[in-house]
Amino acid sequence: MNINCIDSLGRELKEKLRVTKKNCLTLTNIPYSGVKHEIAEEDRTTTIYSLLPGLEDVQLIERTDKENTKVYMTKSELVANISKESLDDLLVQINIATASMENRGMISSGMITIPEEIINNLRTMNHISLKKLPNELDSLYTEYTTLIATIRELQTKKTDFIKSL
């Protein structure tokens, strides 16, 4: 496990994350499956996943160029490398849960199993304290992700309650 300050991603990728956060804040409809921003450039593609169920305050970044693919997860001012397999597994879990939800019209608890690598990195990130003050966009985005997570939790509780009747 390797966790660094987000500055290690470089200015260009940090700017893409900032723009993605800003775009998320302007959305009027947030899909349960999260938000995917894909940025194609001449020599590489960057895909940023935001507002994923169970990981609302995390952004996952996949950068693919001619030679390889790198995957990162960011939370606040921290970044960790994760495997492509963990990202792919998570996205499959989210797609299955979303399809199930669309078929039954309900969200059920335990629909998504988050890969252990992501859970371990998240646990560690949650225990790291930074002295840096967040900027206004990051503070607003954090509040927003907390609200989205709360809404999804309430939807799940409602569904579980209805099923128990």
Side-chain angles (χ1 to χ4, degrees):
M1 182 179 322
N2 188 9
I3 297 176
N4 293 303
C5 179
I6 200 160
D7 291 340
S8 66
L9 291 179
R11 187 180 344 178
E12 175 243 340
L13 190 51
K14 279 180 49 179
E15 179 62 19
K16 285 181 170 102
L17 286 169
R18 188 187 73 71
V19 169
T20 301
K21 286 178 182 179
K22 195 174 176 181
N23 288 342
C24 285
L25 289 172
T26 62
L27 293 175
T28 56
N29 184 18
I30 300 159
Y32 181 78
S33 58
V35 178
K36 177 180 173 181
H37 289 92
E38 195 166 83
I39 304 145
E41 300 166 292
E42 279 184 33
D43 56 345
R44 74 174 153 234
T45 302
T46 303
T47 306
I48 302 173
Y49 301 92
S50 306
L51 303 174
L52 298 171
L55 296 168
E56 286 83 3
D57 59 347
V58 172
Q59 287 183 297
L60 298 175
I61 306 159
E62 180 179 16
R63 293 199 97 178
T64 304
D65 60 24
K66 295 175 188 172
E67 296 156 16
N68 61 13
T69 297
K70 293 182 181 179
V71 182
Y72 309 98
M73 66 182 277
T74 65
K75 180 175 181 185
S76 299
E77 291 292 315
L78 299 172
V79 62
N81 291 37
I82 62 169
S83 68
K84 172 90 167 99
E85 292 78 20
S86 289
L87 174 63
D88 291 343
D89 185 31
L90 176 65
L91 295 176
V92 166
Q93 293 285 325
I94 291 171
N95 287 336
I96 291 169
T98 302
S100 175
M101 183 185 72
E102 287 172 356
N103 288 337
R104 295 183 298 147
M106 296 183 175
I107 301 168
S108 183
S109 60
M111 288 177 75
I112 298 172
T113 303
I114 298 172
E116 191 172 331
E117 178 184 25
I118 293 174
I119 290 172
N120 290 338
N121 278 320
L122 189 57
R123 234 183 247 134
T124 302
M125 288 173 152
N126 287 337
H127 286 90
I128 295 175
S129 173
L130 294 174
K131 302 267 185 218
K132 186 176 181 180
L133 293 173
N135 61 39
E136 188 176 354
L137 175 64
D138 287 338
S139 294
L140 189 57
Y141 186 77
T142 299
E143 287 179 44
Y144 187 67
T145 60
T146 302
L147 288 171
I148 299 299
T150 302
I151 289 168
R152 288 179 177 163
E153 184 180 327
L154 290 171
Q155 289 172 327
T156 302
K157 285 181 182 178
K158 178 184 116 186
T159 299
D160 290 343
F161 176 74
I162 291 170
K163 284 171 130 180
S164 70
L165 295 177

